[in-house]
Amino acid sequence: MAATTSTKTTYKKLSQIYWTKQKQIQLIGPYRLQGNIIKGHQRGRQIGIKTANLDPQQFENELEQIINAQLNEGVYIGYARIDNDKDIYKNILSIGTNPHFKNKNITIESHLLHKFQQDFYDSHLRIIITGFIRPSLPFETMDDLIQSINTDIKFGADALDNQSHSKFIDDDFMTKIIELNKKK
């Protein structure tokens, strides 16, 4: 299916506003979220961009802070840590209703920039959000969505190398050992 004029215009706006003209991604927060990883819609798995999903009901107060800061549903960057593992990973995440799929409920989907050998459902995920890439948008085709996600990943990964973001790797929220309450 060929892209429509509106989709082409959306891509033009995205590339001009979010992916090329910005020297740095908009710094925000930081905002801190944590909870147990839940099974999502499995769409990321289907398109080769796996995500670790959190249940937004686990931290309604923190989401309210993000909403009160007048941030859009959209694509964000930051860092993530699973359980008390020593590694902290770059993280590109989507917070919102995913207008491409017309979801009714808000989802939080984290794409950790690492190739994991196995799933880690019910593991504890800590996220620190440091930047905003772009608002959520519906796309004409699945290929358009995948292309946009891959551009977000590249753009976000590069931005996370910047000291204004990377300093949050050492944030106490990310580095401290916590008591884990995993489901059995």
Side-chain angles (χ1 to χ4, degrees):
M1 177 190 292
T4 65
T5 303
S6 64
T7 302
K8 289 179 184 175
T9 302
T10 300
Y11 271 118
K12 185 175 181 181
K13 286 179 184 174
L14 279 175
S15 65
Q16 288 176 345
I17 296 170
Y18 297 102
W19 295 325
T20 57
K21 282 191 176 177
Q22 287 186 194
K23 299 290 186 228
Q24 295 179 8
I25 289 176
Q26 176 187 347
L27 287 171
I28 61 167
Y31 296 99
R32 295 164 181 87
L33 305 174
Q34 64 179 320
N36 288 335
I37 297 169
I38 61 169
K39 197 169 200 169
H41 297 286
Q42 303 294 299
R43 294 177 188 136
R45 177 181 307 275
Q46 294 168 5
I47 63 174
I49 306 168
K50 291 184 178 182
T51 60
N53 301 297
L54 294 179
D55 180 355
Q57 294 178 354
Q58 294 180 73
F59 34 78
E60 291 177 6
N61 292 338
E62 291 87 346
L63 283 180
E64 190 170 317
Q65 289 175 354
I66 294 172
I67 292 165
N68 289 340
Q70 297 182 337
L71 298 172
N72 292 313
E73 290 186 22
V75 180
Y76 295 84
I77 63 169
Y79 299 92
R81 184 176 181 189
I82 302 165
D83 293 330
N84 284 317
D85 294 351
K86 66 177 179 65
D87 295 318
I88 296 174
Y89 303 101
K90 291 180 179 179
N91 185 21
I92 314 300
L93 61 152
S94 168
I95 299 176
T97 56
N98 295 320
H100 182 79
F101 296 105
K102 300 180 175 96
N103 292 353
K104 291 184 175 149
N105 298 320
I106 288 177
T107 59
I108 298 170
E109 301 171 285
S110 288
H111 176 68
L112 283 61
L113 301 187
H114 181 76
K115 297 280 186 208
F116 293 95
Q117 298 302 312
Q118 66 226 15
D119 291 330
F120 38 86
Y121 295 117
D122 295 326
S123 292
H124 190 83
L125 184 67
R126 285 180 266 180
I127 297 170
I128 190 163
I129 302 169
T130 64
F132 176 75
I133 296 180
R134 65 170 177 85
S136 295
L137 300 166
F139 291 92
E140 185 69 22
T141 69
M142 184 64 80
D143 286 341
D144 291 344
L145 173 64
I146 293 167
Q147 180 181 351
S148 177
I149 292 170
N150 284 322
T151 303
D152 294 336
I153 290 168
K154 167 98 175 77
F155 191 61
D158 291 346
L160 287 166
D161 288 333
N162 184 305
Q163 200 276 332
S164 59
H165 294 282
S166 65
K167 67 184 179 186
F168 291 104
I169 291 172
D170 296 325
D171 188 276
D172 188 51
F173 176 77
M174 298 302 288
T175 59
K176 71 181 177 184
I177 301 298
I178 60 171
E179 184 176 332
L180 299 172
N181 296 318
K182 286 191 174 187
K183 295 179 183 177
K184 301 253 182 204

